[in-house]
């Protein structure tokens, strides 16, 4: 939700800021803006509605000189998407400019107070309130920017990552964070700021992840300082990031989403590397070694997540229950955090999140922690907020996921949950050695099988135009394939804007069957498993009502083609690993339908990659 970039150094800031914004555009793209302190000391702010390309076009004939600047790409919360509401926002005197990611919840109260003091506002945003408050404090109390920011942040309720420029201090950026991510990159005589490391890694691998309540004082030719809002100096924790630039570029693919779909075999290998031994018969997770007793003692597992990560949790639930015999619940983090859930110290709470920054999942973690549960993170973004808030965890290691529609993170999450379930089952003795060995072996074969599943791409590309005109689609699956149906429907909704629902195939007759006609495509995941015969009956129920069926089947299947209009064939695998394969053609289907419809696949409307507001 909103991307923040900053630069201070000896180079021209503008090209660095624009490149950074493009890397962060996945976080929001309804408007964009940039502020630079020019060579003559003026503070120039340029902003436009729409994507970063609109901004660069607008800036073509503007003075974009200067070696210090901040930039922002927005996902609107308060105030419609428009140039007026785009960031950066000036203060009243135009001496300050701010960019912000998050929500200032008590902005209305502060605004009324400032208006009573004669401050006039130029936008409808909560963000402008913050910069006006900072300036008001600077003037009233005669404080420098850093101290005024400290005072202002004491008055603010909400979440923020901010960066502020002061025209009168052209060698400085002040940045702060609470519940919204912010990273400072340390280069040679230069510093960078980013909502994540992707705009920074091209220039330096040395970064500091700001903690909640931290303010960074970034001054040219001085050491970076990190201070709390209470004024306590913090020790610098410089980390090395290991992101290959190629990982965050399109690498010849037309869209990030397609690139990420095709990366899945390699991602899975990276995810399993060092965890499954070379003989392919044993899984080790360091979390399991470090916290063996605590994990084995779990009386219950509760998974909290949102969106695609929640779907991965539904697969995990079946694994933990069937392999380990541990009762398991999967909760929408946004519901969990506002209920009064029964969570005890005997529970293990698994937080699943690609970004590691989802506000609801983070809040659910904090709630579970307060109630004494042991918290396990399954995340992708290294060093992000959720892994830092958990007791232990396992990174999925699928590399940066830029496409807003999550693909490789889903299979990475399912793979990690599978490995965790196998470790627990082995230690608890709830699987036989033979079953354990067979499952570990099968996991190691999965990257190759994923490559075969990707071979469906051409067939699906040709099928996609048939579905372009659908208004509604139904996805059906049972058992391990029910979460796959949900995930397939979510992908289609997100990027093609076709309404789609995922349903357990047998539940269809309790309602959705009324919708079936020849106009509504029905996608059925009908791979070989213990529910295969039942799914065939469900397909017949659809057919009997004139429904048009496209079925995902296991290689060698000869029965379903009699009932389905189209059949897409997948490699055989164990039932519990079917989501790793069956999700792939559904990702491709959503992708190609969206492309056929001319949609902006990587930047679907109204969405943002990382939902850092509740
Ligand atoms: O970063 P997270 O995994 O916590 O994100 C959760 C959801 O916002 C995310 O999965 C979302 O549903 C995706 N756009 C789905 O493709």
């Amino acid at each position: 939700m909103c991307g923040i970039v900053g630069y201070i150094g000896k180079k021209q800031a503008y090209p660095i800021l624009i490149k950074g914004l493009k890397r962060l555009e996945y976080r929001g793209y309804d408007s964009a803006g940039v502020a630079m302190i020019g060579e003559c000391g003026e503070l120039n702010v340029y902003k436009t509605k729409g994507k970063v390309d609109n901004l660069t076009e607008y800036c073509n004939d503007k003075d974009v000189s200067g070696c210090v600047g901040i930039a922002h790409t927005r996902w609107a919360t308060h105030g419609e998407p428009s140039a007026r509401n785009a960031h950066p926002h000036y203060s009243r005197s135009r001496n300050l400019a701010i960019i912000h990611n998050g929500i200032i919840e008590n902005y209305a109260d502060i605004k009324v107070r400032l208006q009573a003091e004669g401050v006039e506002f130029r936008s409808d945003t909560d963000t402008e309130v913050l910069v006006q408050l900072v300036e008001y404090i600077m003037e009233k109390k005669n404080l420098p920017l850093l101290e005024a920011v400290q005072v202002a942040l004491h008055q603010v309720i909400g979440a923020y990552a901010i960066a502020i420029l002061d025209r009168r201090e052209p060698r400085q950026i002040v940045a702060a964070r609470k519940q919204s991510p912010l990273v400072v990159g340390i280069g040679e005589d230069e510093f960078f700021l980013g909502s994540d490391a992707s705009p920074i890694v091209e220039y330096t691998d040395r970064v500091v992840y700001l903690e909640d309540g931290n303010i960074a004082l970034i001054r040219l030719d001085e050491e970076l300082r990190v201070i709390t809002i209470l004024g306590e100096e913090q020790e610098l924790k410089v980390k090395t990031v290991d992101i290959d630039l190629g990982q965050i570029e399109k690498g010849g693919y037309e869209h990030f989403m397609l690139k990420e779909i095709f990366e899945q075999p390699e991602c899975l290998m990276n995810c399993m590397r060092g965890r499954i031994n070379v003989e392919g018969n044993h899984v080790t997770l360091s979390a399991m070694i470090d916290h063996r007793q605590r994990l084995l003692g779990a009386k219950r597992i509760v998974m909290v997540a949102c969106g695609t990560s929640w779907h991965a949790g539904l697969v995990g639930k079946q694994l933990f229950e069937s392999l380990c015999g541990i009762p398991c619940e999967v909760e929408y983090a946004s519901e969990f955090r506002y209920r009064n859930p029964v969570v005890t110290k005997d529970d293990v709470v698994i937080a699943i999140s690609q970004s590691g920054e989802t506000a609801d999942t983070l809040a659910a973690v904090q709630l579970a922690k307060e109630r004494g549960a042991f918290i396990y993170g399954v995340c992708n973004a290294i060093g992000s907020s959720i892994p830092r808030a958990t007791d232990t965890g396992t990174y999925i290691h699928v590399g940066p996921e830029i496409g807003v529609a999550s693909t490789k993170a889903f299979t990475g999450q399912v793979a990690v949950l599978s490995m965790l379930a196998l470790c627990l089952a082995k230690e608890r003795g709830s699987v036989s050695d033979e079953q354990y060995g067979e499952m570990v072996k099968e996991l190691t074969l999965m990257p190759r099988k994923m490559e075969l599943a990707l071979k469906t791409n051409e067939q699906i590309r040709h099928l996609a135009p048939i579905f372009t005109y659908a208004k509604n689609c139904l996805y059906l699956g049972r058992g391990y394939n029910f979460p796959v149906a949900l995930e397939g429907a979510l992908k289609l909704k997100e990027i093609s804007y076709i309404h789609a629902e995922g349903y357990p195939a047998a539940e269809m007759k309790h309602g959705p069957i009324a919708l079936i006609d020849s106009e509504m495509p029905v996608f059925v995941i009908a791979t070989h498993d213990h529910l295969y015969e039942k799914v065939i009956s469900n397909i017949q129920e659809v057919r009997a009502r004139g429904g048009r069926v496209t079925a995902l089947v296991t290689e060698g299947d000869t029965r379903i083609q009699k009932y389905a209009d189209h059949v897409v064939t997948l490699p055989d695998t164990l039932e519990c690993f079917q989501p790793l394969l069956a999700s792939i053609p559904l990702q491709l289907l959503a992708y190609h339908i969206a492309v056929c419809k001319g949609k902006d696949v990587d930047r679907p409307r109204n969405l943002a990659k990382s939902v850092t507001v509740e």
Side-chain angles (χ1 to χ4, degrees):
M1 299 269 94
C2 302
I4 283 184
V5 193
Y7 175 76
I8 183 165
K10 309 267 154 81
K11 301 184 188 123
Q12 284 297 304
Y14 180 73
I16 295 172
L17 296 173
I18 294 296
K19 203 182 237 188
L21 283 187
K22 291 203 165 179
R23 295 242 159 87
L24 289 181
E25 219 175 4
Y26 69 87
R27 300 178 68 89
Y29 32 79
D30 62 48
S31 50
V34 62
M36 279 129 341
I37 301 183
E39 260 123 44
C40 306
E42 67 285 10
L43 177 55
N44 292 317
V45 170
Y46 307 117
K47 44 197 201 171
T48 53
K49 185 175 171 186
K51 295 176 182 150
V52 177
D53 286 341
N54 295 10
L55 177 67
T56 51
E57 207 180 308
Y58 177 75
C59 288
N60 268 342
D61 57 354
K62 304 284 183 298
D63 172 13
V64 291
S65 64
C67 300
V68 52
I70 54 178
H72 188 265
T73 177
R74 180 170 185 247
W75 186 86
T77 58
H78 294 70
E80 56 161 20
S82 63
R84 163 186 150 82
N85 288 330
H87 302 206
H89 291 283
Y90 276 126
S91 62
R92 186 185 46 80
S93 67
R94 296 184 183 250
N95 283 330
L96 307 181
I98 192 172
I99 52 175
H100 166 222
N101 169 25
I103 292 181
I104 308 300
E105 283 168 15
N106 59 339
Y107 83 102
D109 292 347
I110 300 174
K111 190 168 182 175
V112 169
R113 252 199 301 136
L114 291 172
Q115 280 170 327
E117 298 287 333
V119 178
E120 283 176 14
F121 286 81
R122 302 184 188 97
S123 78
D124 313 313
T125 64
D126 52 336
T127 304
E128 190 191 351
V129 172
L130 188 51
V131 73
Q132 301 287 21
L133 177 65
V134 170
E135 181 165 271
Y136 178 77
I137 293 168
M138 285 176 89
E139 287 170 0
K140 271 276 163 207
K141 301 194 183 238
N142 197 19
L143 289 176
L145 178 62
L146 173 66
E147 286 166 40
V149 167
Q150 284 171 331
V151 176
L153 293 182
H154 274 291
Q155 299 182 23
V156 155
I157 301 169
Y160 50 78
I162 54 168
I164 307 184
L165 292 183
D166 184 341
R167 190 183 61 77
R168 297 151 299 184
E169 292 272 7
R171 297 165 67 82
Q172 154 190 297
I173 301 176
V174 172
R177 86 153 257 176
K178 186 182 161 210
Q179 291 169 22
S180 293
L182 202 53
V183 188
V184 184
I186 306 173
E188 289 290 321
D189 303 323
E190 58 187 359
F191 295 98
F192 305 84
L193 258 186
S195 294
D196 64 34
S198 63
I200 298 174
V201 288
E202 186 168 349
Y203 312 100
T204 178
D205 61 356
R206 298 179 66 226
V207 300
V208 172
Y209 292 98
L210 294 189
E211 302 283 344
D212 275 353
N214 279 355
I215 302 178
L217 183 63
I218 310 166
R219 295 181 67 102
L220 201 55
D221 300 327
E222 290 182 23
E223 286 279 297
L224 170 69
R225 283 176 62 200
V226 176
I227 309 124
T228 67
I229 59 170
L230 297 169
E232 294 148 352
E233 204 77 32
Q234 297 297 99
E235 193 193 325
L236 272 196
K237 293 185 193 143
V238 183
K239 300 240 155 75
T240 306
V241 276
D242 180 22
I243 302 176
D244 166 8
L245 209 54
Q247 289 179 311
I248 46 176
E249 289 180 346
K250 282 191 205 149
Y253 286 91
E254 204 181 329
H255 296 99
F256 281 114
M257 184 181 175
L258 190 62
K259 172 180 174 247
E260 288 160 5
I261 292 172
F262 272 86
E263 278 172 356
Q264 289 177 103
E266 195 188 335
C267 291
L268 208 68
M269 279 195 276
N270 291 339
C271 178
M272 295 187 300
R273 183 166 300 127
R275 293 166 175 168
I276 297 188
N277 62 357
V278 279
E279 292 77 25
N281 57 16
H282 189 63
V283 190
T284 318
L285 294 178
S286 57
M288 196 64 205
I289 299 170
D290 299 343
H291 302 278
R292 188 174 175 278
Q293 287 314 329
R294 192 68 184 78
L295 292 169
L296 285 179
K299 297 234 164 33
R300 186 177 68 140
I301 292 174
V302 179
M303 283 183 268
V304 289
C306 303
T308 289
S309 301
W310 186 78
H311 297 157
L314 293 178
V315 178
K317 173 182 164 74
Q318 299 187 50
L319 287 161
F320 290 122
E321 289 186 342
S322 65
L323 290 182
C324 316
I326 305 175
C328 185
E329 283 163 35
V330 189
E331 298 259 9
Y332 283 119
S334 54
E335 290 295 313
F336 178 88
R337 66 179 289 194
Y338 285 118
R339 279 210 331 268
N340 187 11
V342 178
V343 180
T344 73
K345 60 179 179 33
D346 295 324
D347 291 329
V348 168
V349 170
I350 303 182
I352 311 169
S353 173
Q354 185 286 128
S355 61
E357 298 292 350
T358 299
D360 285 320
T361 310
L362 186 57
V365 163
Q366 273 145 3
L367 174 68
K369 223 171 166 178
E370 280 159 24
R371 299 193 175 188
F374 185 76
I375 319 287
Y376 195 114
V378 175
C379 297
N380 190 33
I382 316 276
S384 53
S385 300
I386 294 172
R388 283 188 282 136
T390 51
D391 293 302
T392 188
T394 304
Y395 281 115
I396 62 174
H397 286 317
V398 299
E401 191 181 64
I402 310 291
V404 168
S406 188
T407 52
K408 60 180 182 173
F410 175 75
T411 43
Q413 289 162 344
V414 169
V416 163
L417 293 170
S418 304
M419 289 191 281
L420 179 58
L422 280 166
C423 286
L424 284 171
K426 169 89 174 151
E427 295 271 348
R428 287 167 68 97
S430 52
V431 282
S432 66
D433 287 349
E434 197 188 349
Q435 192 189 358
Y436 172 83
E438 184 195 8
M439 292 183 71
V440 179
K441 183 89 217 150
E442 186 63 17
L443 263 184
T444 65
L445 299 178
M446 217 33 83
R448 175 72 196 123
K449 294 192 178 185
M450 280 179 155
E451 276 166 13
L452 298 173
L454 284 165
K455 291 205 187 301
T456 58
N457 184 45
E458 271 309 291
Q459 181 194 5
I460 289 171
R461 193 165 68 80
H462 284 105
L463 281 178
I466 306 172
F467 305 115
T468 318
Y469 299 101
K471 296 266 178 295
N472 299 289
C473 291
L474 192 59
Y475 287 70
L476 301 176
R478 300 185 74 154
Y480 282 99
N481 284 331
F482 166 51
V484 179
L486 292 175
E487 179 58 8
L490 179 63
K491 291 291 87 93
L492 189 72
K493 279 186 268 213
E494 281 188 292
I495 59 170
S496 73
Y497 318 144
I498 295 174
H499 170 246
E501 286 203 54
Y503 242 78
E507 266 299 299
M508 177 189 59
K509 56 183 156 310
H510 299 284
I513 200 162
L515 295 170
I516 286 173
D517 62 17
S518 60
E519 304 285 295
M520 184 170 75
V522 181
F523 302 105
V524 187
I525 305 124
T527 48
H528 274 158
D529 56 31
H530 78 286
L531 292 163
Y532 176 74
E533 293 296 335
K534 304 215 175 281
V535 175
I536 290 189
S537 305
N538 299 137
I539 291 175
Q540 281 165 333
E541 287 157 11
V542 173
R543 292 287 290 174
R545 282 145 189 98
R548 308 256 300 275
V549 172
T550 300
L552 301 189
V553 303
T554 305
E555 62 192 346
D557 189 297
T558 49
R559 289 177 62 195
I560 291 186
Q561 47 192 283
K562 290 186 217 130
Y563 315 115
D565 298 272
H566 310 285
V567 163
V568 176
T569 302
L570 289 168
D572 194 14
T573 185
L574 297 176
E575 186 166 337
C576 63
F577 298 143
Q578 271 162 359
L580 292 170
L581 299 180
S583 54
I584 290 176
L586 298 185
Q587 295 165 350
L588 289 167
L589 184 71
Y591 172 80
H592 287 297
I593 292 176
V595 169
C596 284
K597 293 189 76 171
K599 302 300 178 203
D600 190 344
V601 170
D602 286 331
R603 292 171 298 191
R605 71 183 180 206
N606 303 339
L607 292 177
K609 181 71 185 160
S610 175
V611 186
T612 52
V613 293
E614 60 171 295

